[in-house]
Amino acid sequence: MKMEEGMQLIDGNGKFNVEGLKDFMTATEFAQGVLSYAIVAIIGPQSSGKSTLMNHVFGTNFKMLDAYKRRGQTTKGIWIAKCNDMKPFTIAMDFEGTDSNARGEWHYFTVSSCDCMHIEGQINLDNTAFERQSALFALAIADIILINMWYKDIGLEHAASRPLLKTAFQVMKRLFKPRKRTLLFVIRDHSKTPFEYLETALKEDIDKIWDSVAEPETSRSVVLSDFLMCVEIAALSSYDFEEENFKEQVARLRQRFISPGGRTDQREAEPASGFFIRAENIWKTIKDNKDLDLPALKVMVATVRCEEIAEEKLRQFTTDDDWLALKEDVQAGPVSGFGATLDSILETYLSQYDMEVIHFDQDVRNAKRRQMESQALEVVRNAYDTMLEHLYSNTLESFKTSLEQLVNGGEGFVASARTCAQSCFLQFDKGCEDAFIRLSGWNVSGVREKISRHMLSEMMAKYVKQFTDVLADEVQSLFEAGEADTWVSVRNLLASKTDVAESELSNAHVDFEVPRSEIDTRLGYLKENARSVVERKARESAATRRVLMRMKDRFAKVFNHDENSKSGAWTTEQNIEEIDRNALSASLKILEIMAAIRLDQTTDQIEHVLFSSLMDGNGAVPASGAPPDLLTSNAWEEVSPNATLLTPVECKSLWMQFKADIKYIMNQATSAQQTLRQAKRAITIVVGVVVVVGAAVVATVGTPTAMGIAARPEVAAVLKAVGPGLAAVMKDIGPEVLATLKDIGPEVAGAVRSLGPQIVTAVIAMMTNGFARPHQQ
């Protein structure tokens, strides 16, 4: 396509050549002209030399009228061409001539009325509509409009150019908002009349025609200067008869368009890239016979082009190597300078967008920029969220590690948690500042709150574990001790521990930046958990095997130890039955303690039922056994099933097993005491006999002789060996034994006297030898 020859933009039927204009803009590189371009259009009567004028002034090659053929319509529709050697870039538009017979058929009409008036006239059914449409298109699209008119028509009321001007002015007044443009009236075939006269007459004609056009339906009148930057007039000689003159005048006219001040650059900025959309939509609006709202069309063009540019920049951003590398890096871990790097990449493409749309409607380009920013942020949101996830994970892990180290180092738990929380919040805030994307304005308070809650949860989990471990151990110790006030001690311990926890955690909402209600909720959970721990330990301690073991241990402790908890051998004086009753009572107390959970200070009859059923009023085991209405039930009165640890039936069964297991202890003790008593009785008798015999010997042989015998070495050794034992036995001899010895003493003495000295001496010698042998061995 030769751009100077042009292409048909709109054909004779009013069809817009979409593909042709696209090809034209590509071939001429029109869209790259940004604002450095101009649109020049020419309108005028048919065969008035419009194409000839455009070719000479702008270097185009529009098809011209052949003067040697019949006059007729040469240009049909609207043509467009690139001007040759024109700077800035200029587009010429050649419009179909007006008042042409070729466009449509003229019809005569007659109108009759009731008062017999008769009017005749003619109208072209197609011509008027297309003239208005093409004139409106020229005024809407072009910066400079050349109006080609005959010299002879100036000043004439019925000149051929007057309908053209009237049409032009009518459509100008229809514009919702005027757009400044230049009208250049070119007077053709100028002869002898002075140019000044023609200029004055033409301006008067212009004013008259403007004033004759009806005002639009607006609130104020409009003047021609509202629509025109300036009105210029040029006169040209006849091309057919004064060709040389004509060419000289055209050359001077051309200088108006190529000289620095030869054309106005004050037109509203509309980038060349939007020309295609603007031209197509203006013509569509005109064809649809709608009011042409140029500002609205300008906004529409800006909307389309800004969207196209934004989409292109967004596509370029999503394929940017730096962005793709950053996106990949952040998947592996936190990236230092993430926000600044991303801001720089985004700013590159946003700046390019700003440069390319700078001359479009400001509101539109700003709106589309915001839309582009929003879409770009949607693209980077996943990467940003991934970055925050890394910061979140690292912060939480740092909190766990630091807390563990501080606690292991001996610092208080709550103080350690406070220190760690403050440090980790600073770490997270610094990371968020580094990752912040300036355009986003995204608030990380949600993530920060999530970290707060998770750190609090981590701290509370460790605190609760530590709290419950200590509580469990202490409660276990209380249950194992099995004191009478066990449940009072358990309740006091639970209350004391929870009070301490509540005091320690009272300011945790400040340290972890959470509402006070959050801490209250956690404390409520801790209290419930603490209660559950006590109940769990109670159920563990109430296991049959463990209760039975503690009952036997308690029985053995009470039974085998004195009141000072010292163990010793059984004596003949101890009341084993009473000790047995006390041991049984202490063991039954353990069973009573472990029968039910008593955390709510409720009263029950378990102790009464157990002691009245398993031991009589004096503490002895009733011979008749437990009444069936007390220990045959599976539930205690006034005790809920959830609080029951051992049912009455289980208690009775456990007691029976316990009695069977400890029976041998009682039997052993009783047997040991009986054996001891028998031995003591025998020793007492022997010692008594020895004492009596000794006394009788002294009485029989006399004291000197007895002393002599006692002085013998072997007798002295025996007495020395058995002396302490005899003293102890004598001391331990009871009143009944002494009374016996008193009764038998005279009889033993008489018997000794009847034996004679020799026999008594022999008896003493035998006794001495008898005592000496065991000691010598």
Side-chain angles (χ1 to χ4, degrees):
M1 178 191 296
K2 292 183 179 181
M3 296 301 100
E4 292 79 5
E5 293 182 357
M7 51 81 61
Q8 190 175 41
L9 179 62
I10 299 172
D11 66 14
N13 295 318
K15 182 180 179 181
F16 193 92
N17 188 356
V18 176
E19 295 303 323
L21 182 55
K22 287 182 179 179
D23 293 340
F24 175 84
M25 294 188 69
T26 301
T28 60
E29 299 181 349
F30 181 24
Q32 281 68 46
V34 191
L35 290 180
S36 184
Y37 76 96
I39 305 295
V40 180
I42 187 167
I43 59 177
Q46 175 187 304
S47 303
S48 61
K50 297 186 300 299
S51 299
T52 302
L53 178 60
M54 297 298 279
N55 290 342
H56 281 82
V57 174
F58 298 105
T60 57
N61 196 17
F62 289 121
K63 185 179 179 182
M64 298 186 297
L65 173 67
D66 189 346
Y68 295 98
K69 297 181 179 180
R70 69 177 182 86
R71 298 178 66 85
Q73 192 175 45
T74 302
T75 303
K76 294 184 178 180
I78 302 172
W79 287 70
I80 184 172
K82 175 185 176 183
C83 298
N84 188 28
D85 297 330
M86 296 288 290
K87 291 184 179 180
F89 189 102
T90 303
I91 296 296
M93 301 181 70
D94 191 10
F95 281 69
E96 177 181 318
T98 59
D99 64 18
S100 171
N101 289 336
R103 168 143 295 276
E105 183 179 354
W106 289 87
H107 296 269
Y108 288 91
F109 63 90
T110 301
V111 178
S112 299
S113 63
C114 59
D115 58 353
C116 300
M117 290 183 62
H118 182 73
I119 303 175
E120 292 184 354
Q122 61 179 357
I123 186 172
N124 185 313
L125 297 181
D126 297 326
N127 194 40
T128 302
F130 190 79
E131 283 183 12
R132 292 175 62 84
Q133 290 172 351
S134 60
L136 182 54
F137 185 72
L139 291 168
I141 202 74
D143 303 296
I144 302 173
I145 301 97
L146 278 64
I147 300 179
N148 209 39
M149 58 188 305
W150 297 112
Y151 156 76
K152 60 183 179 59
D153 286 342
I154 297 175
L156 299 179
E157 187 66 28
H158 301 288
S161 59
R162 292 185 72 89
L164 174 61
L165 285 176
K166 189 170 184 178
T167 298
F169 291 164
Q170 284 175 338
V171 297
M172 286 173 68
K173 284 190 175 183
R174 283 181 56 195
L175 299 179
F176 177 77
K177 180 180 178 182
R179 183 172 76 85
K180 295 290 187 176
R181 61 192 50 75
T182 296
L183 289 184
L184 175 57
F185 290 88
V186 181
I187 303 172
R188 304 299 296 272
D189 293 353
H190 177 222
S191 61
K192 297 180 180 180
T193 306
F195 175 77
E196 292 75 11
Y197 171 78
L198 293 175
E199 184 179 26
T200 301
L202 180 56
K203 288 184 177 181
E204 290 177 355
D205 281 348
I206 291 172
D207 291 338
K208 289 179 181 180
I209 295 171
W210 177 265
D211 293 337
S212 67
V213 174
E215 295 291 339
E217 295 179 0
T218 59
S219 59
R220 69 179 184 88
S221 297
V222 291
V223 295
L224 186 58
S225 59
D226 291 337
F227 295 85
L228 299 177
M229 182 67 66
C230 61
V231 175
E232 298 181 6
I233 301 173
L236 299 177
S237 301
S238 172
Y239 177 70
D240 293 333
F241 302 106
E242 300 180 64
E243 183 174 351
E244 292 301 324
N245 235 1
F246 174 83
K247 290 182 179 180
E248 291 178 5
Q249 293 167 348
V250 165
R252 288 195 297 269
L253 182 60
R254 177 180 172 85
Q255 291 300 317
R256 293 192 183 189
F257 297 96
I258 63 176
S259 62
R263 61 170 289 270
T264 176
D265 288 325
Q266 302 302 316
R267 57 189 296 277
E268 293 185 12
E270 295 183 19
S273 61
F275 177 80
F276 171 85
I277 303 168
R278 185 166 66 253
E280 182 183 15
N281 282 275
I282 287 175
W283 182 249
K284 184 179 183 301
T285 303
I286 293 171
K287 284 290 293 180
D288 292 342
N289 199 28
K290 296 179 180 178
D291 287 340
L292 186 59
D293 186 351
L294 287 181
L297 284 172
K298 180 180 178 182
V299 169
M300 181 275 297
V301 171
T303 299
V304 173
R305 282 299 298 144
C306 289
E307 283 183 354
E308 292 176 349
I309 295 170
E311 289 173 0
E312 175 62 18
K313 297 307 171 186
L314 188 63
R315 184 194 64 78
Q316 293 175 1
F317 164 69
T318 56
T319 57
D320 183 89
D321 291 339
D322 291 338
W323 154 242
L324 294 176
L326 181 65
K327 180 181 178 182
E328 182 177 354
D329 290 344
V330 81
Q331 299 302 317
V335 178
S336 178
F338 176 86
T341 302
L342 196 49
D343 279 339
S344 177
I345 299 172
L346 286 171
E347 185 60 31
T348 297
Y349 294 100
L350 288 169
S351 296
Q352 291 177 6
Y353 167 86
D354 292 338
M355 290 296 296
E356 294 186 27
V357 303
I358 191 171
H359 298 297
F360 285 111
D361 182 84
Q362 182 177 359
D363 292 338
V364 173
R365 68 175 186 257
N366 289 344
K368 295 305 174 183
R369 190 188 203 276
R370 290 191 294 271
Q371 182 177 334
M372 178 183 172
E373 291 175 356
S374 177
Q375 292 173 339
L377 291 175
E378 287 180 9
V379 172
V380 306
R381 186 62 196 246
N382 287 339
Y384 179 75
D385 288 343
T386 301
M387 183 69 180
L388 289 186
E389 287 175 6
H390 290 315
L391 294 176
Y392 163 79
S393 300
N394 290 351
T395 303
L396 193 58
E397 189 61 31
S398 176
F399 177 79
K400 294 178 182 178
T401 304
S402 300
L403 181 60
E404 193 74 26
Q405 291 174 347
L406 288 175
V407 171
N408 292 339
E411 292 196 29
F413 188 91
V414 175
S416 298
R418 180 182 300 111
T419 301
C420 292
Q422 293 171 351
S423 174
C424 290
F425 276 134
L426 289 176
Q427 173 187 335
F428 176 76
D429 291 341
K430 184 177 180 181
C432 288
E433 183 179 351
D434 185 65
F436 180 68
I437 302 172
R438 179 175 51 81
L439 291 174
S440 69
W442 287 330
N443 192 333
V444 297
S445 59
V447 180
R448 201 174 194 280
E449 181 180 347
K450 182 181 176 183
I451 288 181
S452 298
R453 293 183 184 281
H454 280 208
M455 287 199 301
L456 177 62
S457 297
E458 183 68 22
M459 185 275 287
M460 286 298 298
K462 290 183 179 296
Y463 186 87
V464 168
K465 184 179 185 306
Q466 186 183 77
F467 174 87
T468 54
D469 286 348
V470 173
L471 178 65
D473 290 342
E474 295 187 17
V475 168
Q476 181 70 37
S477 298
L478 290 175
F479 285 137
E480 289 178 354
E483 300 296 336
D485 61 348
T486 294
W487 281 107
V488 174
S489 300
V490 169
R491 288 194 297 268
N492 292 339
L493 175 66
L494 181 60
S496 173
K497 292 291 184 182
T498 52
D499 287 346
V500 170
E502 190 168 6
S503 175
E504 288 181 336
L505 298 174
S506 60
N507 291 322
H509 64 288
V510 177
D511 303 329
F512 289 89
E513 301 178 6
V514 295
R516 173 67 199 190
S517 58
E518 182 78 13
I519 301 299
D520 293 339
T521 301
R522 306 268 182 171
L523 282 172
Y525 166 76
L526 183 142
K527 291 178 180 179
E528 292 177 1
N529 194 48
R531 185 184 178 96
S532 298
V533 167
V534 173
E535 293 178 352
R536 175 171 58 81
K537 298 307 293 185
R539 295 187 188 283
E540 290 176 0
S541 299
T544 302
R545 178 181 59 81
R546 299 180 68 172
V547 173
L548 182 60
M549 183 181 298
R550 289 205 303 278
M551 289 173 67
K552 290 192 293 184
D553 289 345
R554 178 58 55 84
F555 180 86
K557 180 179 180 180
V558 175
F559 192 79
N560 293 323
H561 294 74
D562 60 18
E563 58 186 10
N564 295 321
S565 299
K566 294 183 179 180
S567 62
W570 290 103
T571 65
T572 57
E573 288 78 15
Q574 288 177 304
N575 188 343
I576 292 181
E577 290 184 356
E578 182 180 355
I579 294 173
D580 179 58
R581 285 194 299 272
N582 292 337
L584 287 174
S585 178
S587 300
L588 188 59
K589 184 63 179 179
I590 291 178
L591 185 61
E592 179 266 329
I593 290 171
M594 301 312 304
I597 296 173
R598 299 175 176 89
L599 287 177
D600 297 325
Q601 292 185 300
T602 56
T603 58
D604 58 62
Q605 300 299 316
I606 294 177
E607 183 176 15
H608 172 71
V609 170
L610 288 177
F611 276 83
S612 63
S613 300
L614 301 178
M615 300 185 71
D616 62 17
N618 295 322
V621 179
S624 58
D629 60 333
L630 295 179
L631 293 180
T632 58
S633 172
N634 285 320
W636 298 103
E637 292 184 5
E638 302 177 351
V639 178
S640 69
N642 291 333
T644 299
L645 297 175
L646 295 170
T647 65
V649 172
E650 291 173 333
C651 286
K652 180 178 180 181
S653 174
L654 192 60
W655 180 257
M656 299 304 292
Q657 184 177 351
F658 163 74
K659 290 292 297 296
D661 289 346
I662 57 96
K663 184 176 181 180
Y664 80 96
I665 298 177
M666 179 64 179
N667 291 339
Q668 283 183 339
T670 302
S671 176
Q673 191 180 54
Q674 290 175 351
T675 300
L676 180 62
R677 285 176 176 175
Q678 292 173 357
K680 186 174 182 180
R681 187 177 299 112
I683 291 172
T684 301
I685 293 173
V686 170
V687 171
V689 171
V690 171
V691 171
V692 171
V693 170
V697 169
V698 172
T700 302
V701 300
T703 302
T705 303
M707 293 298 290
I709 295 172
R712 293 178 181 177
E714 62 273 21
V715 175
V718 170
L719 291 176
K720 183 179 179 181
V722 301
L726 290 175
V729 171
M730 292 297 292
K731 183 178 180 181
D732 197 42
I733 292 177
E736 67 279 4
V737 176
L738 294 176
T740 301
L741 290 176
K742 183 178 180 181
D743 294 336
I744 66 172
E747 298 177 1
V748 172
V752 169
R753 280 193 298 272
S754 66
L755 291 177
Q758 296 80 8
I759 295 177
V760 171
T761 303
V763 170
I764 292 174
M766 292 175 61
M767 289 180 62
T768 302
N769 293 332
F771 278 112
R773 283 194 196 97
H775 289 85
Q776 292 172 358
Q777 292 177 357

